[in-house]
PDB file of all heavy atoms in Angstrom:
ATOM      1  N   ARG A 154     172.147 -89.730 132.663  1.00 98.00           N
ATOM      2  CA  ARG A 154     172.185 -90.769 131.645  1.00 98.00           C
ATOM      3  C   ARG A 154     172.743 -92.054 132.238  1.00 98.00           C
ATOM      4  O   ARG A 154     173.471 -92.028 133.226  1.00 98.00           O
ATOM      5  CB  ARG A 154     173.020 -90.338 130.439  1.00 98.00           C
ATOM      6  CG  ARG A 154     174.511 -90.280 130.664  1.00 98.00           C
ATOM      7  CD  ARG A 154     175.197 -89.714 129.428  1.00 98.00           C
ATOM      8  NE  ARG A 154     176.658 -89.789 129.540  1.00 98.00           N
ATOM      9  CZ  ARG A 154     177.485 -89.255 128.639  1.00 98.00           C
ATOM     10  NH1 ARG A 154     177.007 -88.620 127.573  1.00 98.00           N
ATOM     11  NH2 ARG A 154     178.794 -89.379 128.802  1.00 98.00           N
ATOM     12  N   GLN A 155     172.377 -93.152 131.601  1.00 98.00           N
ATOM     13  CA  GLN A 155     172.874 -94.448 132.033  1.00 98.00           C
ATOM     14  C   GLN A 155     173.137 -95.315 130.813  1.00 98.00           C
ATOM     15  O   GLN A 155     172.206 -95.618 130.056  1.00 98.00           O
ATOM     16  CB  GLN A 155     171.882 -95.140 132.972  1.00 98.00           C
ATOM     17  CG  GLN A 155     172.427 -96.411 133.584  1.00 98.00           C
ATOM     18  CD  GLN A 155     171.553 -96.943 134.702  1.00 98.00           C
ATOM     19  OE1 GLN A 155     170.374 -96.617 134.815  1.00 98.00           O
ATOM     20  NE2 GLN A 155     172.128 -97.751 135.571  1.00 98.00           N
ATOM     21  N   ALA A 156     174.388 -95.664 130.638  1.00 96.00           N
ATOM     22  CA  ALA A 156     174.777 -96.564 129.553  1.00 96.00           C
ATOM     23  C   ALA A 156     174.638 -98.003 130.036  1.00 96.00           C
ATOM     24  O   ALA A 156     174.674 -98.267 131.242  1.00 96.00           O
ATOM     25  CB  ALA A 156     176.202 -96.271 129.127  1.00 96.00           C
ATOM     26  N   PRO A 157     174.500 -98.942 129.121  1.00 91.00           N
ATOM     27  CA  PRO A 157     174.362-100.351 129.509  1.00 91.00           C
ATOM     28  C   PRO A 157     175.520-100.799 130.399  1.00 91.00           C
ATOM     29  O   PRO A 157     176.690-100.598 130.061  1.00 91.00           O
ATOM     30  CB  PRO A 157     174.371-101.083 128.172  1.00 91.00           C
ATOM     31  CG  PRO A 157     173.866-100.078 127.195  1.00 91.00           C
ATOM     32  CD  PRO A 157     174.388 -98.756 127.669  1.00 91.00           C
ATOM     33  N   GLY A 158     175.190-101.376 131.545  1.00 94.00           N
ATOM     34  CA  GLY A 158     176.209-101.877 132.448  1.00 94.00           C
ATOM     35  C   GLY A 158     176.939-100.822 133.239  1.00 94.00           C
ATOM     36  O   GLY A 158     177.899-101.136 133.951  1.00 94.00           O
ATOM     37  N   GLN A 159     176.500 -99.580 133.113  1.00 96.00           N
ATOM     38  CA  GLN A 159     177.173 -98.488 133.800  1.00 96.00           C
ATOM     39  C   GLN A 159     176.249 -97.869 134.849  1.00 96.00           C
ATOM     40  O   GLN A 159     175.032 -98.065 134.825  1.00 96.00           O
ATOM     41  CB  GLN A 159     177.589 -97.404 132.798  1.00 96.00           C
ATOM     42  CG  GLN A 159     178.494 -97.898 131.694  1.00 96.00           C
ATOM     43  CD  GLN A 159     179.834 -98.378 132.196  1.00 96.00           C
ATOM     44  OE1 GLN A 159     180.452 -97.739 133.045  1.00 96.00           O
ATOM     45  NE2 GLN A 159     180.278 -99.521 131.701  1.00 96.00           N
ATOM     46  N   VAL A 160     176.848 -97.106 135.765  1.00 97.00           N
ATOM     47  CA  VAL A 160     176.036 -96.387 136.755  1.00 97.00           C
ATOM     48  C   VAL A 160     175.423 -95.157 136.112  1.00 97.00           C
ATOM     49  O   VAL A 160     175.929 -94.635 135.116  1.00 97.00           O
ATOM     50  CB  VAL A 160     176.890 -95.998 137.980  1.00 97.00           C
ATOM     51  CG1 VAL A 160     177.441 -97.235 138.670  1.00 97.00           C
ATOM     52  CG2 VAL A 160     178.001 -95.049 137.579  1.00 97.00           C
ATOM     53  N   ARG A 161     174.316 -94.742 136.687  1.00 97.00           N
ATOM     54  CA  ARG A 161     173.677 -93.515 136.200  1.00 97.00           C
ATOM     55  C   ARG A 161     174.552 -92.323 136.574  1.00 97.00           C
ATOM     56  O   ARG A 161     175.058 -92.241 137.697  1.00 97.00           O
ATOM     57  CB  ARG A 161     172.284 -93.397 136.815  1.00 97.00           C
ATOM     58  CG  ARG A 161     171.386 -92.384 136.170  1.00 97.00           C
ATOM     59  CD  ARG A 161     169.963 -92.515 136.667  1.00 97.00           C
ATOM     60  NE  ARG A 161     169.334 -93.746 136.174  1.00 97.00           N
ATOM     61  CZ  ARG A 161     168.039 -94.018 136.315  1.00 97.00           C
ATOM     62  NH1 ARG A 161     167.247 -93.151 136.928  1.00 97.00           N
ATOM     63  NH2 ARG A 161     167.536 -95.144 135.856  1.00 97.00           N
ATOM     64  N   GLU A 162     174.722 -91.393 135.643  1.00 98.00           N
ATOM     65  CA  GLU A 162     175.593 -90.240 135.901  1.00 98.00           C
ATOM     66  C   GLU A 162     174.895 -88.943 135.539  1.00 98.00           C
ATOM     67  O   GLU A 162     174.090 -88.876 134.597  1.00 98.00           O
ATOM     68  CB  GLU A 162     176.908 -90.370 135.114  1.00 98.00           C
ATOM     69  CG  GLU A 162     176.767 -90.520 133.619  1.00 98.00           C
ATOM     70  CD  GLU A 162     178.098 -90.793 132.927  1.00 98.00           C
ATOM     71  OE1 GLU A 162     179.147 -90.908 133.604  1.00 98.00           O
ATOM     72  OE2 GLU A 162     178.094 -90.885 131.686  1.00 98.00           O
ATOM     73  N   LEU A 163     175.224 -87.914 136.303  1.00 98.00           N
ATOM     74  CA  LEU A 163     174.652 -86.593 136.086  1.00 98.00           C
ATOM     75  C   LEU A 163     175.274 -85.966 134.849  1.00 98.00           C
ATOM     76  O   LEU A 163     176.492 -85.954 134.691  1.00 98.00           O
ATOM     77  CB  LEU A 163     174.909 -85.714 137.310  1.00 98.00           C
ATOM     78  CG  LEU A 163     174.407 -84.279 137.254  1.00 98.00           C
ATOM     79  CD1 LEU A 163     172.890 -84.236 137.131  1.00 98.00           C
ATOM     80  CD2 LEU A 163     174.866 -83.527 138.506  1.00 98.00           C
ATOM     81  N   VAL A 164     174.423 -85.433 133.998  1.00 98.00           N
ATOM     82  CA  VAL A 164     174.879 -84.803 132.759  1.00 98.00           C
ATOM     83  C   VAL A 164     174.822 -83.282 132.855  1.00 98.00           C
ATOM     84  O   VAL A 164     175.792 -82.591 132.550  1.00 98.00           O
ATOM     85  CB  VAL A 164     174.020 -85.286 131.575  1.00 98.00           C
ATOM     86  CG1 VAL A 164     174.414 -84.557 130.287  1.00 98.00           C
ATOM     87  CG2 VAL A 164     174.134 -86.788 131.394  1.00 98.00           C
ATOM     88  N   ALA A 165     173.672 -82.757 133.254  1.00 98.00           N
ATOM     89  CA  ALA A 165     173.493 -81.310 133.283  1.00 98.00           C
ATOM     90  C   ALA A 165     172.392 -80.948 134.271  1.00 98.00           C
ATOM     91  O   ALA A 165     171.480 -81.745 134.516  1.00 98.00           O
ATOM     92  CB  ALA A 165     173.134 -80.783 131.897  1.00 98.00           C
ATOM     93  N   SER A 166     172.497 -79.730 134.813  1.00 98.00           N
ATOM     94  CA  SER A 166     171.516 -79.236 135.770  1.00 98.00           C
ATOM     95  C   SER A 166     171.159 -77.807 135.456  1.00 98.00           C
ATOM     96  O   SER A 166     171.987 -77.058 134.921  1.00 98.00           O
ATOM     97  CB  SER A 166     172.078 -79.312 137.192  1.00 98.00           C
ATOM     98  OG  SER A 166     172.438 -80.629 137.544  1.00 98.00           O
ATOM     99  N   ILE A 167     169.942 -77.439 135.826  1.00 97.00           N
ATOM    100  CA  ILE A 167     169.524 -76.046 135.754  1.00 97.00           C
ATOM    101  C   ILE A 167     168.776 -75.745 137.042  1.00 97.00           C
ATOM    102  O   ILE A 167     167.880 -76.487 137.448  1.00 97.00           O
ATOM    103  CB  ILE A 167     168.680 -75.766 134.490  1.00 97.00           C
ATOM    104  CG1 ILE A 167     168.338 -74.284 134.402  1.00 97.00           C
ATOM    105  CG2 ILE A 167     167.426 -76.621 134.440  1.00 97.00           C
ATOM    106  CD1 ILE A 167     167.802 -73.861 133.029  1.00 97.00           C
ATOM    107  N   THR A 168     169.168 -74.652 137.700  1.00 96.00           N
ATOM    108  CA  THR A 168     168.531 -74.305 138.965  1.00 96.00           C
ATOM    109  C   THR A 168     167.232 -73.554 138.714  1.00 96.00           C
ATOM    110  O   THR A 168     166.946 -73.102 137.589  1.00 96.00           O
ATOM    111  CB  THR A 168     169.440 -73.435 139.821  1.00 96.00           C
ATOM    112  OG1 THR A 168     169.574 -72.149 139.189  1.00 96.00           O
ATOM    113  CG2 THR A 168     170.818 -74.056 139.997  1.00 96.00           C
ATOM    114  N   ALA A 169     166.466 -73.373 139.784  1.00 94.00           N
ATOM    115  CA  ALA A 169     165.235 -72.598 139.666  1.00 94.00           C
ATOM    116  C   ALA A 169     165.544 -71.187 139.166  1.00 94.00           C
ATOM    117  O   ALA A 169     164.752 -70.595 138.428  1.00 94.00           O
ATOM    118  CB  ALA A 169     164.533 -72.553 141.016  1.00 94.00           C
ATOM    119  N   GLY A 170     166.686 -70.677 139.535  1.00 94.00           N
ATOM    120  CA  GLY A 170     167.072 -69.343 139.105  1.00 94.00           C
ATOM    121  C   GLY A 170     167.687 -69.280 137.722  1.00 94.00           C
ATOM    122  O   GLY A 170     168.003 -68.191 137.226  1.00 94.00           O
ATOM    123  N   GLY A 171     167.869 -70.435 137.091  1.00 95.00           N
ATOM    124  CA  GLY A 171     168.363 -70.450 135.722  1.00 95.00           C
ATOM    125  C   GLY A 171     169.850 -70.697 135.571  1.00 95.00           C
ATOM    126  O   GLY A 171     170.371 -70.677 134.450  1.00 95.00           O
ATOM    127  N   MET A 172     170.544 -70.937 136.675  1.00 97.00           N
ATOM    128  CA  MET A 172     171.971 -71.256 136.580  1.00 97.00           C
ATOM    129  C   MET A 172     172.128 -72.667 136.050  1.00 97.00           C
ATOM    130  O   MET A 172     171.361 -73.561 136.405  1.00 97.00           O
ATOM    131  CB  MET A 172     172.628 -71.131 137.948  1.00 97.00           C
ATOM    132  CG  MET A 172     172.555 -69.739 138.538  1.00 97.00           C
ATOM    133  SD  MET A 172     173.570 -68.555 137.625  1.00 97.00           S
ATOM    134  CE  MET A 172     175.195 -69.145 138.107  1.00 97.00           C
ATOM    135  N   THR A 173     173.125 -72.860 135.198  1.00 98.00           N
ATOM    136  CA  THR A 173     173.343 -74.176 134.603  1.00 98.00           C
ATOM    137  C   THR A 173     174.715 -74.729 134.996  1.00 98.00           C
ATOM    138  O   THR A 173     175.645 -73.970 135.304  1.00 98.00           O
ATOM    139  CB  THR A 173     173.243 -74.117 133.076  1.00 98.00           C
ATOM    140  OG1 THR A 173     174.221 -73.183 132.580  1.00 98.00           O
ATOM    141  CG2 THR A 173     171.866 -73.655 132.636  1.00 98.00           C
ATOM    142  N   ASP A 174     174.803 -76.029 134.951  1.00 98.00           N
ATOM    143  CA  ASP A 174     176.062 -76.701 135.267  1.00 98.00           C
ATOM    144  C   ASP A 174     176.107 -77.987 134.451  1.00 98.00           C
ATOM    145  O   ASP A 174     175.060 -78.585 134.168  1.00 98.00           O
ATOM    146  CB  ASP A 174     176.158 -77.019 136.754  1.00 98.00           C
ATOM    147  CG  ASP A 174     177.569 -77.378 137.169  1.00 98.00           C
ATOM    148  OD1 ASP A 174     178.522 -77.012 136.442  1.00 98.00           O
ATOM    149  OD2 ASP A 174     177.749 -78.035 138.209  1.00 98.00           O
ATOM    150  N   TYR A 175     177.330 -78.391 134.106  1.00 98.00           N
ATOM    151  CA  TYR A 175     177.505 -79.534 133.228  1.00 98.00           C
ATOM    152  C   TYR A 175     178.611 -80.449 133.721  1.00 98.00           C
ATOM    153  O   TYR A 175     179.602 -79.993 134.300  1.00 98.00           O
ATOM    154  CB  TYR A 175     177.857 -79.060 131.812  1.00 98.00           C
ATOM    155  CG  TYR A 175     176.817 -78.183 131.197  1.00 98.00           C
ATOM    156  CD1 TYR A 175     176.867 -76.802 131.343  1.00 98.00           C
ATOM    157  CD2 TYR A 175     175.751 -78.731 130.479  1.00 98.00           C
ATOM    158  CE1 TYR A 175     175.893 -75.985 130.798  1.00 98.00           C
ATOM    159  CE2 TYR A 175     174.774 -77.925 129.921  1.00 98.00           C
ATOM    160  CZ  TYR A 175     174.855 -76.553 130.087  1.00 98.00           C
ATOM    161  OH  TYR A 175     173.882 -75.742 129.545  1.00 98.00           O
ATOM    162  N   ALA A 176     178.443 -81.720 133.426  1.00 98.00           N
ATOM    163  CA  ALA A 176     179.541 -82.649 133.648  1.00 98.00           C
ATOM    164  C   ALA A 176     180.667 -82.306 132.678  1.00 98.00           C
ATOM    165  O   ALA A 176     180.417 -81.825 131.562  1.00 98.00           O
ATOM    166  CB  ALA A 176     179.073 -84.079 133.421  1.00 98.00           C
ATOM    167  N   ASP A 177     181.892 -82.552 133.100  1.00 98.00           N
ATOM    168  CA  ASP A 177     183.039 -82.210 132.252  1.00 98.00           C
ATOM    169  C   ASP A 177     182.959 -82.889 130.888  1.00 98.00           C
ATOM    170  O   ASP A 177     183.375 -82.307 129.884  1.00 98.00           O
ATOM    171  CB  ASP A 177     184.339 -82.614 132.956  1.00 98.00           C
ATOM    172  CG  ASP A 177     184.692 -81.678 134.093  1.00 98.00           C
ATOM    173  OD1 ASP A 177     184.132 -80.565 134.158  1.00 98.00           O
ATOM    174  OD2 ASP A 177     185.529 -82.058 134.931  1.00 98.00           O
ATOM    175  N   PHE A 178     182.418 -84.077 130.855  1.00 98.00           N
ATOM    176  CA  PHE A 178     182.426 -84.828 129.593  1.00 98.00           C
ATOM    177  C   PHE A 178     181.420 -84.301 128.568  1.00 98.00           C
ATOM    178  O   PHE A 178     181.407 -84.760 127.430  1.00 98.00           O
ATOM    179  CB  PHE A 178     182.213 -86.333 129.838  1.00 98.00           C
ATOM    180  CG  PHE A 178     181.015 -86.684 130.678  1.00 98.00           C
ATOM    181  CD1 PHE A 178     179.744 -86.703 130.137  1.00 98.00           C
ATOM    182  CD2 PHE A 178     181.176 -87.000 132.016  1.00 98.00           C
ATOM    183  CE1 PHE A 178     178.645 -87.033 130.910  1.00 98.00           C
ATOM    184  CE2 PHE A 178     180.079 -87.334 132.803  1.00 98.00           C
ATOM    185  CZ  PHE A 178     178.816 -87.348 132.253  1.00 98.00           C
ATOM    186  N   VAL A 179     180.578 -83.326 128.931  1.00 98.00           N
ATOM    187  CA  VAL A 179     179.660 -82.740 127.952  1.00 98.00           C
ATOM    188  C   VAL A 179     179.819 -81.229 127.819  1.00 98.00           C
ATOM    189  O   VAL A 179     179.162 -80.611 126.979  1.00 98.00           O
ATOM    190  CB  VAL A 179     178.185 -83.060 128.265  1.00 98.00           C
ATOM    191  CG1 VAL A 179     177.953 -84.568 128.343  1.00 98.00           C
ATOM    192  CG2 VAL A 179     177.709 -82.364 129.526  1.00 98.00           C
ATOM    193  N   LYS A 180     180.690 -80.643 128.615  1.00 98.00           N
ATOM    194  CA  LYS A 180     180.868 -79.188 128.542  1.00 98.00           C
ATOM    195  C   LYS A 180     181.268 -78.754 127.154  1.00 98.00           C
ATOM    196  O   LYS A 180     182.141 -79.344 126.522  1.00 98.00           O
ATOM    197  CB  LYS A 180     181.927 -78.741 129.562  1.00 98.00           C
ATOM    198  CG  LYS A 180     181.402 -78.560 130.965  1.00 98.00           C
ATOM    199  CD  LYS A 180     182.482 -78.076 131.920  1.00 98.00           C
ATOM    200  CE  LYS A 180     181.907 -77.930 133.326  1.00 98.00           C
ATOM    201  NZ  LYS A 180     182.964 -77.551 134.304  1.00 98.00           N
ATOM    202  N   GLY A 181     180.609 -77.712 126.674  1.00 98.00           N
ATOM    203  CA  GLY A 181     180.894 -77.204 125.346  1.00 98.00           C
ATOM    204  C   GLY A 181     180.141 -77.905 124.231  1.00 98.00           C
ATOM    205  O   GLY A 181     180.154 -77.451 123.082  1.00 98.00           O
ATOM    206  N   ARG A 182     179.484 -79.021 124.566  1.00 98.00           N
ATOM    207  CA  ARG A 182     178.732 -79.781 123.545  1.00 98.00           C
ATOM    208  C   ARG A 182     177.230 -79.817 123.842  1.00 98.00           C
ATOM    209  O   ARG A 182     176.425 -79.800 122.909  1.00 98.00           O
ATOM    210  CB  ARG A 182     179.262 -81.215 123.461  1.00 98.00           C
ATOM    211  CG  ARG A 182     180.725 -81.326 123.103  1.00 98.00           C
ATOM    212  CD  ARG A 182     181.126 -82.771 122.838  1.00 98.00           C
ATOM    213  NE  ARG A 182     180.950 -83.627 124.010  1.00 98.00           N
ATOM    214  CZ  ARG A 182     180.211 -84.744 124.019  1.00 98.00           C
ATOM    215  NH1 ARG A 182     179.572 -85.134 122.931  1.00 98.00           N
ATOM    216  NH2 ARG A 182     180.124 -85.481 125.125  1.00 98.00           N
ATOM    217  N   PHE A 183     176.863 -79.879 125.108  1.00 98.00           N
ATOM    218  CA  PHE A 183     175.453 -79.985 125.503  1.00 98.00           C
ATOM    219  C   PHE A 183     174.995 -78.679 126.148  1.00 98.00           C
ATOM    220  O   PHE A 183     175.770 -77.998 126.817  1.00 98.00           O
ATOM    221  CB  PHE A 183     175.259 -81.113 126.510  1.00 98.00           C
ATOM    222  CG  PHE A 183     175.435 -82.508 125.971  1.00 98.00           C
ATOM    223  CD1 PHE A 183     175.973 -82.747 124.720  1.00 98.00           C
ATOM    224  CD2 PHE A 183     175.044 -83.591 126.738  1.00 98.00           C
ATOM    225  CE1 PHE A 183     176.137 -84.035 124.244  1.00 98.00           C
ATOM    226  CE2 PHE A 183     175.193 -84.895 126.282  1.00 98.00           C
ATOM    227  CZ  PHE A 183     175.743 -85.111 125.030  1.00 98.00           C
ATOM    228  N   THR A 184     173.712 -78.390 125.956  1.00 98.00           N
ATOM    229  CA  THR A 184     173.111 -77.212 126.577  1.00 98.00           C
ATOM    230  C   THR A 184     171.768 -77.585 127.184  1.00 98.00           C
ATOM    231  O   THR A 184     170.898 -78.120 126.490  1.00 98.00           O
ATOM    232  CB  THR A 184     172.910 -76.090 125.552  1.00 98.00           C
ATOM    233  OG1 THR A 184     174.163 -75.771 124.944  1.00 98.00           O
ATOM    234  CG2 THR A 184     172.341 -74.844 126.227  1.00 98.00           C
ATOM    235  N   ILE A 185     171.612 -77.286 128.464  1.00 98.00           N
ATOM    236  CA  ILE A 185     170.338 -77.507 129.139  1.00 98.00           C
ATOM    237  C   ILE A 185     169.562 -76.196 129.143  1.00 98.00           C
ATOM    238  O   ILE A 185     170.141 -75.123 129.324  1.00 98.00           O
ATOM    239  CB  ILE A 185     170.546 -78.040 130.576  1.00 98.00           C
ATOM    240  CG1 ILE A 185     169.225 -78.457 131.214  1.00 98.00           C
ATOM    241  CG2 ILE A 185     171.301 -77.037 131.444  1.00 98.00           C
ATOM    242  CD1 ILE A 185     169.397 -79.182 132.549  1.00 98.00           C
ATOM    243  N   SER A 186     168.258 -76.296 128.918  1.00 98.00           N
ATOM    244  CA  SER A 186     167.422 -75.106 128.921  1.00 98.00           C
ATOM    245  C   SER A 186     165.993 -75.508 129.270  1.00 98.00           C
ATOM    246  O   SER A 186     165.690 -76.703 129.380  1.00 98.00           O
ATOM    247  CB  SER A 186     167.457 -74.404 127.560  1.00 98.00           C
ATOM    248  OG  SER A 186     166.905 -75.243 126.556  1.00 98.00           O
ATOM    249  N   ARG A 187     165.150 -74.540 129.433  1.00 97.00           N
ATOM    250  CA  ARG A 187     163.750 -74.845 129.732  1.00 97.00           C
ATOM    251  C   ARG A 187     162.853 -73.783 129.119  1.00 97.00           C
ATOM    252  O   ARG A 187     163.274 -72.649 128.894  1.00 97.00           O
ATOM    253  CB  ARG A 187     163.522 -74.913 131.241  1.00 97.00           C
ATOM    254  CG  ARG A 187     163.712 -73.603 131.950  1.00 97.00           C
ATOM    255  CD  ARG A 187     163.574 -73.712 133.455  1.00 97.00           C
ATOM    256  NE  ARG A 187     163.739 -72.396 134.066  1.00 97.00           N
ATOM    257  CZ  ARG A 187     164.376 -72.185 135.199  1.00 97.00           C
ATOM    258  NH1 ARG A 187     164.907 -73.210 135.867  1.00 97.00           N
ATOM    259  NH2 ARG A 187     164.468 -70.977 135.682  1.00 97.00           N
ATOM    260  N   ASP A 188     161.637 -74.185 128.857  1.00 96.00           N
ATOM    261  CA  ASP A 188     160.597 -73.278 128.384  1.00 96.00           C
ATOM    262  C   ASP A 188     159.489 -73.346 129.427  1.00 96.00           C
ATOM    263  O   ASP A 188     158.737 -74.318 129.484  1.00 96.00           O
ATOM    264  CB  ASP A 188     160.094 -73.717 127.008  1.00 96.00           C
ATOM    265  CG  ASP A 188     159.082 -72.737 126.422  1.00 96.00           C
ATOM    266  OD1 ASP A 188     158.327 -72.121 127.204  1.00 96.00           O
ATOM    267  OD2 ASP A 188     159.045 -72.606 125.194  1.00 96.00           O
TER     268      ASP A 188
END
């Protein structure tokens, strides 16, 4: 994500194997998934 005037920052990732990872500022609130 990128807010106005801010640098782009990583929010969440999902690996090919399905492992997920989150930035601390969204942990517990955001969920990454795929279909």
